[in-house]
């Protein structure tokens, strides 16, 4: 396993869905910085389930307990460990034998990797629940970034076929950033919310699920950060974002669309504006040669539809080595995209805090 | 700078476009393994320029000299250093002051980062030429992977609006893999080559350039490799691929398309076939929860159009702090996509050799 | 901060002496392996204070709670987090201003580094108490190493001027290894225990403290492990051992004595013995060129006398910027060497598990 | 292999004694900094052999060629690669079969590790010759450290039984630092040079070799650098220094002597002096809790006697699996300690540049 991220600020995530607790250790935070824990909890609440019909009805108590690294409301510079207890796990037996892996889940791949030794209850360490500590870590890191004038906000660009507007990549108002990063159903154009909810509801009624795209912006990053080649900003953000379950694609700026463009369309002309260098367009997503150019960083993550669906599915029985069918019981998110928005923001935060001094 | 990749097999790339030499150190290769240098050169030839009108006419002598790590044709287990001399650099003066950054290039971002101290001649360390050592490293690594039955091959999925067929993600013939990975204009359906070349030629005549998408397949990787969360296979490949200049997006399996699918469409049903577990579709691109599931790994990289174009472009003069215009002289690739194919394969190779034992 | 160790098996230690809790996350452990928790507790008991007059009388409840990474008594392959609650911290105020740094402690260096933001109560993250999680991690790792036939044991080579015998470096009985690694006052020759205790008692009565040397052996490591140069076995063990507070020197085999030897004395002649290659002496401590040679690994760590002493000491007042005097109140270990023995063994375990496959 | 050091400034060493070339890539150097190449060559000359009877008579041309990372005399910020050609290797055959490993050398351990595939000619990658690139890297790094007011200098504390004076650890004159770091037989008290040379000559006449201790000081490092626990300054320096062949022990400040001291003797009292905090003694070697305290960093490295000696030695024949005798031909350094002095300084430089901002 390597649920560890970062070189300067090292984030080590632990926990299994039905274990005793989940959490994170963050090593390398600056001493003396005050952390607004209410803001941290607010980010965690955006990710927490049970808020509405788009999410599972199981209640979680996701408030973390900080064991170290803080004194009162200030960071001490020592590793910060935050733990979220799993209060409601009720798993009396430890028989861990996996028979029928769920399509689209890590079950089969993990069964082979761990030779059946991993904790499969609720997906174990692969559960979406383990993104809660990532949001915690991101919420702490983003407060440090905010002191440097950096804002991170994402929105639901699409759910199924329903689209939100995209960011204006050369001019993103701070108020929009603030509104999005506080929202639990984050949209640039709130008018599409109902259509999106309808899309989710239709999937739910069909015992199905639906995916979407999350677009994330980071404003206020000065030009000149990141490294060429393998430690570029794109690679760092991509590594963090692909660490989130269900993400299957990451693109920056014009991304895959740029492949169909001509250079004269895709190049972003430089201009002086108010004494500083800007670009007239931002097809590069704020990153050139792996290094920030001072424009907003814009990236998009493709989130696949939740693999847990109520319909009967084809699978195999690993014990009998026969083909089999599977019907997943219980309630499951028909769409995790809204709840994934703060997780994507958190991934961006932990990537960027390792890049910025 | 951090042109270093890998934990187990560490690849350190060096060189600037107009410096004395470029190359790579590969630390951690297994002792005793024979390397077919002709095959290595063949990969480098696929990337080398000057083969046809889609590429720059400047000649390069890209044959590397191995300084260490090999004895005869065998690896010694010591760090392998390969150097490619820059024979044709002719840069009499070291005046390195950048005045007008080229749109779409790293010039401006690097100017800020390095405070004007970097070598800007030909793009310096950011030049596409520095991908030659990556291809060298990838060619060595893929020979080690081939011994485990793993093949890596990519093709030009699109140039501009012209499309090749996609891989059949559940069944890729070894012959196709071999043909693609030996081709200098790599296509599943060779009939589209002329249309693609026409697209490039039209861009060239318009003093413009054009981008494209490269699709890459890796066959023969057993199930159970990779780590959950931040060291998953997707993140590792993405980090390597985003290290290649001009890549702006990476997706796995159905990728961004999966965002518009329902779970019942996107989930890949498991089946037994010939005694082993397979999936009937491969929307996950061979990776579930960051771990391989034994199906082909499929990913796509978006390559932006070459930023160097002959048209007059808007930029700034960093010395006078005025808006300015720029006309880039000389011949430039109107499309780097064909030459980028072996670089993408190489990136996959260096990512995977760090994941597989 | 970087209380993180290892590339393959990553150990992230957290906690402050008077914080809510201390603990460790271990990422990369193999799935399915059974862990004998009684043996883990036994190692932690060796380090725990309050056993006799050589140690502080403050009681600790050092039994860790495992939050993740285990299912029943087996490792799941997911990150293992163990937490030890601090039950007895009683620190009502968060006023953290340091006035008079204790000589020999990290107080002053940490004050400068953290600009006064660190938790100074009880030494904070620098407290010897934070070695408890290291012992936990080492105890888990050594059980995995034991399955490969590897034993780790250390003894008190000296306290002050009182010496134990040294290991016979070419022939260490398994029974001796087992006895030492289960002992709370670990000696090859138990007859010296009283003299050592007298030495400690004399220091205590003089309101003083005393240091010592710990010698550690690792048996059963096959030849051929470790890497040349910076990832050699010596460097890896040294990095782990210098991570333990109060260690000021590390040497392997003949160590500093070899500096006064001739090559003909120091070289270890090779012989065949029972069909395998051995050396007749073991001045190299089982490591040649950074790589194991199959003989026992032998190293020694110098432990400085506990800096907390009851005598009045000269220091400075950082607030008034005046010279000052300091009298440290409370009871303190006059000698931490006996309790450091299992910590040194644990450091060896976490270093070696990262080297061995 | 892992001949790679550092997280911020990554140093990748390559080369084998009788290969085509040896060298180093340094990734992460600051752009724009001027490098005095004469000073770099001067450091390399200190390490080069052939200067007198204490060293081998084989001539080397150790002047490196910089392939990248410099433009004129300035760093570009791109990875710096320096190559030293091996001009005099004359190894016609690649038969690499090792029969009789040399006692005290890495031969046997490497044979097992690399299964006979490594380059054994002249020790291959384990040769002392591979320290030349380390000196190059250290010489570049120390120039960057010098700009911050940091000086690094070492001296021969002992050869065999002949002792130099030790550093006054609380007051080291800059002139002494400069003199030592420019000397090829570096002594605080030059009067002992003849006695040391006699010790070496006696060993040489006896077809033997002799070891020694090198003491190194680093002045000008401010208080507050380094990290607690595993990334402390002691661990970082130790990892670099143990990367140098023949080093068998590393200690800081009073080191192993502190084990016999009382706390009241070993603690370094704080005082204000000239407005800044100093310590009256420096038994901690300038490091408390892994963090610098602003006093000189003092450490010592034990260098074992050169294992290559002319006397007949006992070994094994790995092909016939019989005990055997070995007589090493050719001329060999009877004492490498004088030439190891600049290598130790270089190791300190590459360790510290990764710690200081």
């Amino acid at each position: 396993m390597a649920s560890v991220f970062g070189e300067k600020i090292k984030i080590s995530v632990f926990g299994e869905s039905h274990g005793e607790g989940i959490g994170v250790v963050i090593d390398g935070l600056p001493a003396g910085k005050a952390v607004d824990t209410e803001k941290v909890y607010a980010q965690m609440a955006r990710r927490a389930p049970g808020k509405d019909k788009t999410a599972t009805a199981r209640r979680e108590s996701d408030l973390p307990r900080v064991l170290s690294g803080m004194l009162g409301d200030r960071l001490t510079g020592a590793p910060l460990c935050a733990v979220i207890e799993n209060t409601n796990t009720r798993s009396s037996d430890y028989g861990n034998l996996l028979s029928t892996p769920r399509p689209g889940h890590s079950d089969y791949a993990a069964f082979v990797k761990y030779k059946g030794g991993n904790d499969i209850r609720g997906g174990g360490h692969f559960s979406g629940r383990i993104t809660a500590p990532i949001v915690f870590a991101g919420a702490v890191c983003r407060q440090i970034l905010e002191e440097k004038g950096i804002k991170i906000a994402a929105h639901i660009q699409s759910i199924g076929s329903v689209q939100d507007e995209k960011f204006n990549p050369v001019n993103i108002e701070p108020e929009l950033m603030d509104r999005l990063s506080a929202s639990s159903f984050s949209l640039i154009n709130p008018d599409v919310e109902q259509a999106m909810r309808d899309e989710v509801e239709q999937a739910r009624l069909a015992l199905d699920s639906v995916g979407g795209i999350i677009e994330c912006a980071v404003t206020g990053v000065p030009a000149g950060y990141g490294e060429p080649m393998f430690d570029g900003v794109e690679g760092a953000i991509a590594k963090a974002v692909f660490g989130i379950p269900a993400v299957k694609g990451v693109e920056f700026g014009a991304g895959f669309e740029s492949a169909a463009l001509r250079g004269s369309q895709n190049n972003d002309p430089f201009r002086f504006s108010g004494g500083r260098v800007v670009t007239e367009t931002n097809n590069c997503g704020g990153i050139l040669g792996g290094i920030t150019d001072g424009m907003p960083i814009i990236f998009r993550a493709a989130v696949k539809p939740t693999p847990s669906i109520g319909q009967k599915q084809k699978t195999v029985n690993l014990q009998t080595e026969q083909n089999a069918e599977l019907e997943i019981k219980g309630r499951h998110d028909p769409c995790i995209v809204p709840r994934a928005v703060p997780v994507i923001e958190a991934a961006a935060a932990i990537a960027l805090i390792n890049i910025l001094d």
Side-chain angles (χ1 to χ4, degrees), chain A residues 135-151:
Chain A
V135 172
F136 176 90
V140 172
C141 292
R142 77 157 68 192
Q143 292 192 25
I144 295 165
L145 293 169
E146 274 165 10
E147 288 205 336
K148 301 172 196 274
I150 295 168
K151 288 177 184 288

Side-chain angles (χ1 to χ4, degrees), chain A residues 224-255:
Chain A
Y225 285 92
E227 302 292 331
M229 215 167 280
F230 302 117
D231 279 352
V233 176
E234 290 139 325
I237 289 177
K239 193 184 176 204
V241 171
F242 276 119
I244 301 168
V247 171
K248 298 303 286 186
V250 175
E251 64 175 14
F252 292 82

Side-chain angles (χ1 to χ4, degrees), chain A residues 13-271:
Chain A
V13 177
F14 60 87
E16 283 131 324
S17 179
H18 288 57
E20 293 276 309
I22 66 177
V24 62
V25 178
I26 317 174
D27 190 298
L29 293 169
K33 164 91 183 84
V35 172
D36 183 332
T37 48
E38 287 306 313
K39 281 189 175 177
V40 173
Y41 295 161
Q43 287 303 324
M44 300 192 73
R46 292 173 75 202
R47 193 213 67 88
K51 294 187 299 286
D52 55 49
K53 284 190 202 153
T54 59
T56 167
R58 180 162 82 102
R59 286 210 56 80
E60 287 180 34
S61 170
D62 274 350
L63 283 196
R65 179 173 164 225
V66 173
L67 296 184
S68 65
M70 290 188 70
L71 195 57
D73 67 344
R74 293 194 179 269
L75 299 173
T76 64
L80 190 165
C81 178
V83 170
I84 302 163
E85 302 269 334
N86 283 345
T87 50
N88 188 16
T89 58
R90 285 172 314 173
S91 44
S92 48
D93 81 294
Y94 288 154
N96 214 30
L97 209 58
L98 178 71
S99 48
T100 49
R102 296 166 298 168
H105 274 285
S106 64
D107 296 354
Y108 171 68
F111 176 83
V112 176
K113 178 176 180 64
Y114 300 108
K115 301 177 182 68
N118 58 312
D119 185 355
I120 61 173
R121 300 170 301 160
H125 188 60
F126 296 86
S127 165
R129 175 159 165 72
I130 315 304
T131 58
I134 297 178
V135 172
F136 176 90
V140 172
C141 292
R142 77 157 68 192
Q143 292 192 25
I144 295 165
L145 293 169
E146 274 165 10
E147 288 205 336
K148 301 172 196 274
I150 295 168
K151 288 177 184 288
I152 302 173
H155 70 106
I156 308 166
Q157 181 181 303
S158 69
I159 287 180
S161 59
V162 185
Q163 306 280 328
D164 188 16
E165 294 169 22
K166 288 193 184 179
F167 280 113
N168 173 352
V170 295
N171 184 15
I172 309 177
E173 298 293 331
E175 295 73 22
L176 177 62
M177 297 295 286
D178 291 343
R179 177 169 69 79
L180 294 176
S181 62
S183 168
S184 63
F185 201 99
S186 186
L187 290 168
I188 295 179
N189 177 6
D191 295 347
V192 301
E193 177 167 345
Q194 195 52 52
M196 284 188 176
R197 291 195 183 275
D198 291 349
E199 185 99 356
V200 175
E201 181 66 6
Q202 285 162 30
R204 191 180 71 82
L205 294 172
L207 303 180
D208 214 335
S209 65
V210 63
I213 294 173
I214 292 169
E215 187 183 45
C216 185
V218 187
T219 59
V221 180
Y225 285 92
E227 302 292 331
M229 215 167 280
F230 302 117
D231 279 352
V233 176
E234 290 139 325
I237 289 177
K239 193 184 176 204
V241 171
F242 276 119
I244 301 168
V247 171
K248 298 303 286 186
V250 175
E251 64 175 14
F252 292 82
F256 277 88
E257 282 187 16
S258 68
L261 297 178
R262 290 245 173 129
S264 58
Q265 300 167 304
N266 190 64
N267 284 353
D268 301 308
F270 292 109
R271 295 281 93 184

